Amino acid sequence: MRRLPEGGDIDRSRPLRFRFDRRALTGYAGDTLASALLANGVRLVGRSFKYHRPRGIYAAGLEEPNALVSIGRGEARRPNIQATTIALTEGLEAESQNRWPSLRLDVQAITGLASAITGAGFYYKTFMGPSARAWMVYERFIRKAAGLGRPPKGPDPRQAETLHEHDDVLVVGGGLAGLEAALAAASEGRRVVLAERDLCLGGAALASPPGSTERRRLGELLAALDGSSKVRILTATQVFGAYDHGCFAAVEEGDVLRLRLLHAERVIVATGALERGFVFPGNDKPGVMLAGAARSYLNRYGVLCGEQVTVFQNNDSGIAVALDLAGAGAAVTLVDPRPNLGSEQRRELETCGIALRLASRVTAARGAQRLRALDLRSEHGRERLACDLLCLAGGWSPVLHLASQAGMKVRWSERHAAFLPGSSPSGMSVVGAAAGDYRPLPDTKSPPTSGWTTSLLPLWRSGAGRMAFVDLQNDVTAKDIQQSHDEGFVSVEHLKRYTTLGMGTDQGRTSNVLGLALMAEASGRDVAETGTTTFRPPFAAVSLSALAGAEVGSAFHLRRRTPLDGLLREEGAVMTQSGLWERAWYFRENGSDLETATIREMEIVRSFAAVADVSTLGKIEIEGPDAAELLNRLYSNGWSTLPIGKARWGVMLRDDGYVFDDGTTTRLGETRYFMTTTTAKAEPVLARIEFLLQSAWRDLRVQVCDVTDHWAAIALSGPESRRLLGTLIGEAARDQCLPFLGLLETDLAGVPVRLIRVSFSGELGYEVHCPADGAPSVWRALRQAGAAAYGLEALGALRIEKGHVSAGELDGRTTLDDLGLSAMASRKKAFVGQVMARRPGLLAAGRQQLVGLSAETPLSSGAVLSFGPFEGVGEGRITSATWSPSLGCYLALALLRDGRAQYGREVAVHDPARGRLCKALVRDPHFLDPEGKRQRG
């Protein structure tokens, strides 16, 4: 095993340093990690999943079952990456997996000694007894031993993005067939996108030697592509799934992860075919490799993988491999179970000094840590052959996963000994080796790159023994498949799950057909009757980081910012997440911490005036001749008598009679209204209205429009708020011009505003609504007039003092009566939820009702209330709590059974989460100014 002094597609002028298991090695630009390891003489790259047997590199691409490594360092290390798919880069850190204490000396390899009793179903049968409790003991040890690589502990540092792309034609696969299909579609004037998982185009042609017909044809196609403006090339892009409506998902892995959702009218599948091996004892040893992989490492990467080479074939595709390896200086023996070869082929092989063993087969591979010899059997007897590289050419399996995911049914071909495409879905075609077309180019003199020119001999198992592997990644043996059949698992799907055949990153690429053939043999059926498992996406492993895209970390949830966000941050606002919104929590200028600042802000509102950003309120414009009728049906209280220029507070119910939302709606004109909702229910209320107008109330002549993002809103509250407002708008701020629940449309700081005199804090207050782009100017004007600023924490605490309900109380389980709002239910009109709200169960005694609590010790939301001994279930709960600087005690709103009948009693407050137990006084929830004199001014 060595790097040749010349040849290959690597750039020898650009050496690259990398490390494998902390060992410093060198490769070249253009190498994969696998080719660089082979060039450095590294044969042992991993341990098998179950028996921890030594494993080497088996393939040269995505079909690699053995060479799984962890890439990177630290918490972001990525496990289970195929070394054959990793482009070598400067400073690459790779580490082998599934071994301890080292790759060469793995203690768990001792499990192989028990392989006779640990076959298929061993865990199912053994560790479920003798009792159910026994599994809890076994599980700890099994989980420690299970798995391959360890999951990363930190986030993927690579940037990720998701792209939606639309083209006329999608070509999947950049081999010769795919390139020709792309050029043909482009010649028809179609916009074409070609996706290839490799770093460069060419597919199997890249395994051909320089000067071959395949290489020349590849050069011609690439030159034609350079001159075409209709074809867009995506390399290093794996198309991994076919989904509904012609959408194909692909991921481009690199410094930036790109998830591409490709939409096309026509899809051409040119995904090629994967080579298979044979089943015989020792077929998993380092030094056993697919023939096409050995040829690829030789001609593409300039690596000769062995000196004493045996090529074992059942079709002519191994001949080209044998010729190329012999031409590179290896001593080659060709083993073929067929009795004859073509005379021209035989002459060429003998001319190159290749020894022939016809009518022979390999029955076993010998060696401990790596391959050292082979056992051959022929009609003349047995023979042992020294060997350090065995190349397996057992036939080809077309890659039909994507086409099958899209709805294509596969069919078994005896001639090809493989599954081929059946009838393709509309808009899809399969070409090249994926369609079973392995014919060489017309003027190719040498045997084809990936196929045969004479008959293929179906040969699955060439030797019998305990360690004859079918699935190398999952340690599934031929014995396991026979055992599965003997125990009654006759379905392909059952075979897969009972033996783990075709699971993991390998997904059966090199093993499924072998496994199905052995299953068919055991059951006395043919492969066509046995069938195949269902092809499901993803075809190849996909990084979760790519699927998440940019929606990770702080961007996992959509973040919404109000028009005042930047200005509030400049003024020292500490922001917090409230639903999807970023909101000002408190202002540092009012205190060094949350508690100090909140108390200070509450005091300013109660004694002077302050402004808060309430732009997150839902805002809906309602217009039309039946707008008032719509409001009458939505709200429990009446709206037909609301004058123009006035606002009214209303409560909506759900169909089941429970409270849905509350808010203020203002009448702007004869048929025009402006509704505000709570922040949490902005979208649900709009959706509810639109649903009713499109289904139940289609006769209403009314239009609704969401203007939440178009209008900003600022709450101005405090006993001095009218005076401050007057400095900006003059006499219009007088009580006569803008009474309680009145509306005034005017200009403020050069910005058109809607002033609505409402109060959430219980003080004299206004909501200042203005276009979003004018909000900073309005805020600055109010601040310059003398208003302080307060945040969300103070806003919530002020409403508790006043006894206003919010999200904590409107949790979907309370009724109007529970909240003390029975008077809001009109008896003169019908409204949503009216009938269901009268159900006896919702009016019966014993329901939890809204009350207030006051205490000398802290109260917390979620605490449980009880009058008697507490046994885990109380008689109520605290929904909102705060310290009240105005009253000098702790206050809370709570829901308590028959609460209004409990005024004046003491209740026990249990807070096990915080380890608190205290007493509180039950009282009216309107703690401050219950008559409403302050807000009416």
Side-chain angles (χ1 to χ4, degrees):
M1 183 183 294
R2 55 188 169 86
R3 177 87 73 179
L4 297 179
E6 59 182 19
D9 299 329
I10 56 175
D11 185 352
R12 296 174 187 263
S13 67
R14 293 176 56 200
L16 300 173
R17 293 168 297 178
F18 70 102
R19 299 176 71 88
F20 178 69
D21 281 353
R22 301 183 181 180
R23 177 184 168 190
L25 301 170
T26 303
Y28 294 101
D31 265 323
T32 61
L33 175 60
S35 66
L37 289 173
L38 290 170
N40 282 275
V42 178
R43 292 181 179 271
L44 181 61
V45 295
R47 291 280 176 166
S48 68
F49 172 72
K50 186 174 178 181
Y51 299 126
H52 289 256
R53 289 169 63 87
R55 292 285 167 82
I57 294 168
Y58 186 72
L62 197 63
E63 67 274 26
E64 173 59 45
N66 295 334
L68 301 181
V69 298
S70 293
I71 296 297
R73 64 182 71 178
E75 294 186 345
R77 178 179 296 174
R78 293 180 286 137
N80 298 334
I81 309 296
Q82 292 161 306
T84 52
T85 64
I86 302 168
L88 193 67
T89 56
E90 178 65 28
L92 180 71
E93 294 269 357
E95 187 173 323
S96 58
Q97 305 177 152
N98 197 37
R99 79 289 187 277
W100 185 86
S102 69
L103 182 58
R104 187 161 296 278
L105 178 63
D106 182 7
V107 171
Q108 291 193 67
I110 197 172
T111 58
L113 299 177
S115 61
I117 61 171
T118 56
F122 170 73
Y123 295 97
Y124 299 127
K125 301 170 194 172
T126 305
F127 295 116
M128 296 309 293
S131 67
R133 290 184 178 181
W135 169 250
M136 305 308 294
V137 177
Y138 302 144
E139 183 184 25
R140 288 180 295 170
F141 300 99
I142 292 174
R143 289 200 181 279
K144 286 182 179 179
L148 290 169
R150 299 299 179 190
K153 296 181 180 179
D156 194 325
R158 297 174 294 177
Q159 179 185 346
E161 58 188 28
T162 301
L163 306 174
H164 291 261
E165 302 180 354
H166 297 262
D167 292 277
D168 297 327
V169 179
L170 167 63
V171 178
V172 184
L176 298 183
L179 297 178
E180 289 177 344
L183 287 169
S187 68
E188 299 173 358
R190 304 291 189 90
R191 292 179 297 108
V192 181
V193 58
L194 187 151
E196 166 57 46
R197 67 167 181 83
D198 207 339
L199 295 173
C200 54
L201 301 175
L206 296 174
S208 302
S212 64
T213 304
E214 289 90 344
R215 286 279 188 160
R216 290 198 300 270
R217 180 58 178 156
L218 176 59
E220 294 169 359
L221 293 172
L222 293 178
L225 280 175
D226 286 341
S228 175
S229 61
K230 292 289 186 179
V231 181
R232 184 164 56 95
I233 305 295
L234 301 176
T235 55
T237 301
Q238 174 66 58
V239 180
F240 64 83
Y243 299 91
D244 293 342
H245 311 296
C247 176
F248 284 73
V251 65
E252 177 185 348
E253 292 230 15
D255 294 336
V256 177
L257 291 172
R258 292 186 177 90
L259 175 64
R260 299 180 184 270
L261 301 178
L262 306 171
H263 303 262
E265 297 177 4
R266 182 184 170 202
V267 179
I268 300 174
V269 178
T271 44
L274 299 177
E275 197 166 24
R276 301 190 297 260
F278 301 96
V279 179
F280 55 85
N283 62 341
D284 65 325
K285 296 185 180 298
V288 178
M289 182 181 290
L290 294 175
R295 193 181 191 213
S296 181
Y297 288 122
L298 177 69
N299 293 319
R300 182 174 176 181
Y301 303 106
V303 178
L304 181 61
C305 296
E307 302 292 341
Q308 291 181 297
V309 181
T310 298
V311 178
F312 180 24
Q313 67 171 22
N314 66 348
N315 66 92
D316 288 353
S317 64
I319 296 175
V321 180
L323 291 171
D324 287 354
L325 291 172
V332 181
T333 300
L334 181 65
V335 179
D336 195 321
R338 299 174 298 177
N340 296 302
L341 290 177
S343 57
E344 184 178 341
Q345 293 171 331
R346 184 163 186 164
R347 189 181 310 113
E348 187 173 5
L349 290 167
E350 291 174 344
T351 300
C352 293
I354 297 173
L356 297 179
R357 298 291 192 276
L358 300 180
S360 302
R361 62 185 63 187
V362 175
T363 57
R366 303 291 178 181
Q369 291 284 330
R370 63 183 180 88
L371 176 67
R372 295 187 180 277
L374 299 172
D375 288 347
L376 306 183
R377 187 179 66 191
S378 69
E379 59 186 10
H380 302 297
R382 299 178 182 275
E383 176 184 2
R384 179 158 294 180
L385 189 67
C387 179
D388 64 1
L389 176 64
L390 173 61
C391 301
L392 304 179
W396 299 83
S397 299
V399 180
L400 300 174
H401 300 65
L402 289 175
S404 181
Q405 291 170 21
M408 185 200 70
K409 301 296 183 182
V410 299
R411 60 180 178 84
W412 178 255
S413 168
E414 291 291 347
R415 174 177 172 269
H416 294 77
F419 288 100
L420 298 184
S423 58
S424 299
S426 175
M428 173 180 285
S429 56
V430 184
V431 300
D437 183 3
Y438 306 132
R439 293 171 298 175
L441 296 175
D443 57 345
T444 302
K445 295 181 180 179
S446 61
T449 300
S450 57
W452 60 81
T453 53
T454 57
S455 63
L456 174 142
L457 175 67
L459 176 66
W460 319 111
R461 177 164 41 189
S462 64
R466 188 160 50 90
M467 287 299 185
F469 289 94
V470 179
D471 186 326
L472 299 183
Q473 184 166 107
N474 297 295
D475 279 350
V476 179
T477 65
K479 177 187 173 184
D480 292 331
I481 293 175
Q482 181 64 49
Q483 180 180 335
S484 175
H485 172 266
D486 293 343
E487 295 184 11
F489 293 96
V490 296
S491 164
V492 175
E493 299 288 356
H494 293 162
L495 170 71
K496 175 178 180 178
R497 284 150 184 83
Y498 193 61
T499 65
T500 68
L501 176 74
M503 294 188 179
T505 64
D506 173 65
Q507 287 295 297
R509 293 185 183 90
T510 58
S511 62
N512 269 0
V513 171
L514 294 174
L516 295 173
L518 294 180
M519 184 180 183
E521 184 181 287
S523 61
R525 299 177 294 176
D526 58 29
V527 180
E529 291 177 290
T530 304
T532 180
T533 54
T534 303
F535 295 109
R536 297 185 179 93
F539 165 65
V542 180
S543 168
L544 291 178
S545 300
L547 298 181
E551 291 79 27
V552 296
S554 62
F556 180 70
H557 292 291
L558 176 67
R559 292 291 180 96
R560 301 182 69 179
R561 295 184 175 181
T562 73
L564 290 168
D565 184 88
L567 183 56
L568 297 180
R569 293 174 190 268
E570 291 176 9
E571 293 190 359
V574 177
M575 309 304 287
T576 187
Q577 188 79 12
S578 177
L580 297 178
W581 290 97
E582 290 273 355
R583 299 190 68 178
W585 195 8
Y586 65 93
F587 288 82
R588 290 192 182 91
E589 67 177 357
N590 297 321
S592 58
D593 57 26
L594 172 63
E595 183 177 358
T596 304
T598 300
I599 293 173
R600 172 64 178 149
E601 290 168 10
M602 293 175 67
E603 291 173 341
I604 293 173
V605 172
R606 295 292 183 214
S607 62
F608 188 67
V611 287
D613 181 11
V614 292
S615 300
T616 59
L617 293 173
K619 309 172 196 75
I620 303 171
E621 293 266 7
I622 302 173
E623 186 170 8
D626 295 325
E629 176 60 21
L630 172 65
L631 295 174
N632 261 334
R633 297 183 186 184
L634 288 173
Y635 284 117
S636 61
N637 49 327
W639 291 84
S640 57
T641 59
L642 180 67
I644 297 173
K646 293 288 287 185
R648 180 170 292 169
W649 179 61
V651 180
M652 298 181 192
L653 303 186
R654 297 192 316 227
D655 290 340
D656 58 5
Y658 289 94
V659 174
F660 180 37
D661 193 47
D662 74 321
T664 301
T665 296
T666 307
R667 189 170 188 178
L668 304 178
E670 184 66 31
T671 60
R672 188 181 176 202
Y673 293 80
F674 178 64
M675 175 189 288
T676 62
T677 72
T678 61
T679 297
K681 293 294 175 61
E683 287 83 5
V685 167
L686 177 68
R688 179 68 172 160
I689 296 174
E690 290 180 333
F691 170 77
L692 290 170
L693 288 176
Q694 293 175 36
S695 57
W697 302 336
R698 298 176 63 183
D699 58 313
L700 292 185
R701 298 164 297 166
V702 62
Q703 297 287 331
V704 296
C705 179
D706 179 22
V707 292
T708 301
D709 292 334
H710 297 267
W711 289 86
I714 300 169
L716 171 63
S717 306
E720 295 295 319
S721 57
R722 181 187 291 117
R723 182 182 63 79
L724 292 183
L725 191 61
T727 64
L728 299 172
I729 64 171
E731 294 295 313
R734 290 185 306 159
D735 188 60
Q736 294 85 346
C737 300
L738 189 52
F740 181 61
L741 294 179
L743 164 71
L744 176 66
E745 293 186 288
T746 184
D747 284 352
L748 193 160
V751 178
V753 297
R754 289 175 183 166
L755 294 173
I756 306 173
R757 189 173 155 192
V758 292
S759 175
F760 192 56
S761 64
E763 297 294 334
L764 173 66
Y766 305 85
E767 281 183 7
V768 185
H769 295 266
C770 63
D773 57 356
S777 298
V778 174
W779 178 273
R780 289 191 187 97
L782 291 170
R783 293 280 276 146
Q784 290 167 4
Y790 68 106
L792 183 63
E793 191 73 16
L795 184 70
L798 290 165
R799 70 95 184 171
I800 294 173
E801 288 185 332
K802 179 59 180 173
H804 283 158
V805 295
S806 189
E809 296 74 44
L810 306 180
D811 64 352
R813 295 177 289 177
T814 51
T815 67
L816 287 173
D817 186 65
D818 296 339
L819 299 174
L821 301 175
S822 300
M824 297 290 291
S826 173
R827 298 184 180 276
K828 298 180 180 179
K829 68 178 183 72
F831 56 89
V832 173
Q834 181 183 47
V835 174
M836 298 298 283
R838 295 172 182 166
R839 286 177 291 170
L842 299 188
L843 300 174
R847 287 190 59 82
Q848 293 183 356
Q849 297 173 335
L850 182 70
V851 298
L853 301 177
S854 60
E856 299 301 318
T857 54
L859 302 173
S860 302
S861 297
V864 182
L865 309 177
S866 69
F867 288 108
F870 178 61
E871 298 179 353
V873 178
E875 297 174 81
R877 67 189 187 280
I878 293 179
T879 57
S880 310
T882 186
W883 163 258
S884 171
S886 299
L887 301 178
C889 62
Y890 291 94
L891 303 178
L893 297 179
L895 291 167
L896 181 64
R897 188 168 68 172
D898 293 325
R900 289 189 287 274
Q902 312 297 340
Y903 287 179
R905 293 186 64 185
E906 275 196 341
V907 65
V909 181
H910 304 267
D911 190 355
R914 300 173 180 85
R916 296 175 184 168
L917 174 63
C918 67
K919 295 285 187 179
L921 178 67
V922 182
R923 52 188 292 185
D924 189 293
H926 304 292
F927 303 104
L928 191 69
D929 188 29
E931 298 84 9
K933 294 180 179 179
R934 293 193 184 193
Q935 66 184 15
R936 294 178 182 275

